[in-house]
Amino acid sequence: MLQNNKRWLYVALPIFFFWFFGQIDKMGISIIQTDPEFLNALGLTGDDRSAKIGLITFVFTISYALSNLFWGVIIDKLGARQTAILGLVVWTLTMIMAGLSTTYEMFLISRIILGLGEGMMIPVSGKFISNWFNRRELGKAQASWITGNYLGPALGALMLVFIISTLHWQAAFFILAGFNLLLVMPMFLFLTRNTPEEHPRVDKDELEYIRMTDIQDEAPTKSFTQDFRYWVVWFGMLVASFLFFGISIWLPTYLAEGRGFAQEGMKNITSISWMFALIFVLISGYLSDKTRRPSLMATVLFGITALFLAYAIMAPNPIIAGLCMGLAMGAQGGVFHLSNLFIVKFSTPATAGRAAGLMGFTNIMGGFSSYIMGWLRDASGGSFSSSIIMLIIASLLGLLAYLFTIKKEAAEVRVFHQTAERIS
C-alpha cells in the first residue's frame, strides 16, 4: 500500500501528530482557563479577570507571530527536520514550566516561551509539504496535517476536562509534555528527512513523481512578495487569526458563563466546534483541488462566518447559539487551510519557509482579539454581544479583501481549461 506513497508515512504522519499535540498545547488553555482551581491558583479574580485571562493568549500570540519571522529564515537555512526537533525541545520544556507555575507572571512567561517554540510550526509544515509533494496534490497534502490542527483540540477538549476533573490542572501540562517527548519527537528523528532525495527508503519512481511538473502546476517564476494576491491572502489571514483565536479561546467561557452550560455541555459543544473546523478543512482541501477557485471559496467562508456570528447573537436557544459560534469557527478553519495552500502556490521550495513565516506573523492578531474580547466583556458587565459584533465586522473585512482576487483567479481558470483542451 505504501509503494510509491512513502511520503504520506514519513512526512504527513509526523506532521499530523506535530499539529495534533501542538494545538492541544496551544489551544488547551481555553479549557484550562474555565477551571476555578487554575483561576484561584494564579490570582485570576476581580473585575479585570477577563482582561487578565485574555492577556495569557495575547502574550502567547505576540511571541508566536514574531518568532514566525525568524523561524522562516532559519528553516530555509537549517532545514525543516532539524528546526522541528529544536522547536519540540523548547515547547516540551515550557509545558513543564507551565505546570510548575505558582504565579500569574510565571505562567505568562511560560506562554511567551511556548509561542517562541511553536512559531516554527507553520514554516516547518509549509517547507515539508513544498519539498515532499507534487504540486498537483497540495490540497490533499495540506489537509493531511491541518487535520491534526483541528482533530487535536476536538479530542483534546475531552481529554483535558477528564484530566482536570480526575487529577489537577497541572497534570494536563505534564501529560502534554510527555506526549511531545515520547511520541512526536521520535517521529521526526527516525521517520523524516528534509527532502525525499535524502531519505534512504524513497524509491526512484516516487521521487520522479514528486518532482514532476506540467502545465497545470508550474512553479511561480517571480517572488511571492511581487504577487499582490499573496498580500491579499496575508491580510485575509490577519482577519482569520483575529476571528479564529477570538472565538476558540473564549468559546468554552462563552458557553459556560455566557450561555449557562454545565461542564459536560461546554465540553461537548467545544469538541463539536473543532470537528466543524475539521470538516470545513476537508471540504476546502477537496474543492480547492477540484474547482481551482480557492479565492472564491475563501470569500464565501468569510460571508458564512458573519452570518453564523450574527445568528449566535440573536438565537434565544443556548444550544443553537453555541453551535453557530462553532460553525463560525469552523468556517475560519477552512480559510486557514486555504491560506496555507496559497503559501505553497505563490512560493517555491527555496522560499516556502520565508513565505510561511511571513504568513505566520498574522497570528499576532489572535492575541489582540483575545485581549480585546476580554476587555470588552469586562466593560460590558460580562456580556459577549459587543465582542461578537466586533468579530462580524472583521468577517466582512475579510470578505471585501478577497473580492479583489476573484476576477484574476477566474481568468486563470479559463486559460487553464482552454490550454488543456488544446493539448488534449
Side-chain angles (χ1 to χ4, degrees):
M1 186 170 63
L2 287 174
Q3 183 68 27
N4 298 330
N5 287 293
K6 293 186 177 70
R7 61 195 178 280
W8 298 99
L9 171 64
Y10 296 143
V11 172
L13 184 65
I15 291 179
F16 168 81
F17 283 105
F18 185 57
W19 280 87
F20 183 92
F21 290 108
Q23 282 298 94
I24 300 177
D25 293 350
K26 183 191 305 180
M27 308 306 296
I29 188 63
S30 67
I31 297 293
I32 295 171
Q33 71 189 25
T34 65
D35 179 46
E37 289 190 26
F38 170 77
L39 298 175
N40 291 330
L42 299 187
L44 294 171
T45 57
D47 294 336
D48 62 343
R49 177 174 71 99
S50 295
K52 290 170 72 174
I53 292 173
L55 187 62
I56 293 174
T57 299
F58 177 77
V59 298
F60 167 81
T61 52
I62 293 297
S63 63
Y64 181 85
L66 292 175
S67 67
N68 267 265
L69 298 178
F70 68 77
W71 278 124
V73 176
I74 291 173
I75 288 167
D76 286 336
K77 301 289 185 182
L78 191 62
R81 177 172 177 259
Q82 293 85 342
T83 305
I85 293 169
L86 177 60
L88 280 165
V89 170
V90 173
W91 84 38
T92 298
L93 293 175
T94 58
M95 285 290 101
I96 297 173
M97 181 180 176
L100 295 174
S101 296
T102 56
T103 66
Y104 177 64
E105 291 74 19
M106 182 177 177
F107 190 80
L108 286 180
I109 293 172
S110 75
R111 300 303 287 184
I112 292 172
I113 301 174
L114 176 65
L116 294 174
E118 288 199 346
M120 50 77 189
M121 293 180 72
I122 294 177
V124 160
S125 302
K127 189 74 169 180
F128 267 125
I129 295 299
S130 182
N131 282 337
W132 273 84
F133 292 88
N134 186 284
R135 298 186 71 84
R136 70 179 66 179
E137 59 184 0
L138 293 181
K140 298 183 184 69
Q142 293 281 20
S144 71
W145 62 265
I146 294 181
T147 298
N149 186 45
Y150 302 108
L151 188 60
L155 300 181
L158 306 178
M159 180 183 74
L160 289 174
V161 169
F162 175 77
I163 292 172
I164 293 171
S165 62
T166 57
L167 297 172
H168 200 273
W169 64 268
Q170 287 103 327
F173 290 104
F174 298 145
I175 291 171
L176 290 173
F179 279 126
N180 290 326
L181 184 63
L182 301 177
L183 179 62
V184 185
M185 195 177 299
M187 284 189 168
F188 280 93
L189 284 169
F190 299 113
L191 291 180
T192 65
R193 297 294 186 274
N194 288 325
T195 65
E197 287 84 355
E198 298 175 22
H199 206 295
R201 293 186 180 87
V202 174
D203 56 40
K204 181 181 178 182
D205 290 340
E206 183 168 6
L207 181 59
E208 287 180 351
Y209 174 75
I210 292 170
R211 298 296 176 233
M212 180 178 65
T213 60
D214 59 32
I215 191 167
Q216 88 174 62
D217 48 47
E218 292 179 354
T221 57
K222 61 182 179 180
S223 171
F224 66 90
T225 58
Q226 296 176 307
D227 194 324
F228 84 94
R229 291 173 300 173
Y230 176 87
W231 295 108
V232 170
V233 175
W234 189 86
F235 176 78
M237 269 290 281
L238 279 177
V239 176
S241 296
F242 190 85
L243 289 163
F244 192 83
F245 275 94
I247 299 172
S248 60
I249 291 297
W250 282 104
L251 180 60
T253 305
Y254 167 80
L255 295 171
E257 300 181 12
R259 287 290 183 168
F261 281 89
Q263 187 181 64
E264 186 71 16
M266 176 272 288
K267 174 191 71 175
N268 291 336
I269 291 187
T270 299
S271 181
I272 290 170
S273 298
W274 284 100
M275 292 303 297
F276 285 153
L278 174 58
I279 291 169
F280 273 103
V281 164
L282 296 176
I283 292 174
S284 297
Y286 172 77
L287 291 179
S288 63
D289 286 343
K290 187 76 173 177
T291 67
R292 304 180 64 85
R293 297 296 307 271
S295 293
L296 177 60
M297 291 169 56
T299 307
V300 172
L301 288 172
F302 273 117
I304 290 174
T305 301
L307 291 174
F308 280 130
L309 289 172
Y311 197 73
I313 295 177
M314 298 182 292
N317 187 298
I319 295 177
I320 298 298
L323 291 175
C324 283
M325 291 292 289
L327 286 165
M329 188 179 88
Q332 287 308 297
V335 174
F336 177 78
H337 172 54
L338 294 173
S339 299
N340 282 278
L341 182 61
F342 282 125
I343 292 173
V344 183
K345 178 180 179 180
F346 296 145
S347 65
T348 66
T351 62
R354 277 165 284 176
L358 187 58
M359 192 70 72
F361 175 76
T362 60
N363 283 280
I364 196 170
M365 292 304 294
F368 285 101
S369 176
S370 176
Y371 182 75
I372 293 170
M373 286 186 69
W375 179 84
L376 285 173
R377 187 180 178 221
D378 287 336
S380 303
S383 172
F384 280 93
S385 296
S386 57
S387 298
I388 296 175
I389 291 172
M390 174 187 68
L391 296 178
I392 293 172
I393 295 171
S395 302
L396 296 176
L397 289 176
L399 185 153
L400 290 173
Y402 267 98
L403 287 177
F404 289 99
T405 67
I406 291 177
K407 184 176 180 180
K408 185 170 183 179
E409 181 181 76
E412 289 178 343
V413 172
R414 285 196 298 270
V415 170
F416 165 73
H417 287 305
Q418 291 168 0
T419 304
E421 288 175 2
R422 287 199 300 268
I423 293 175
S424 60

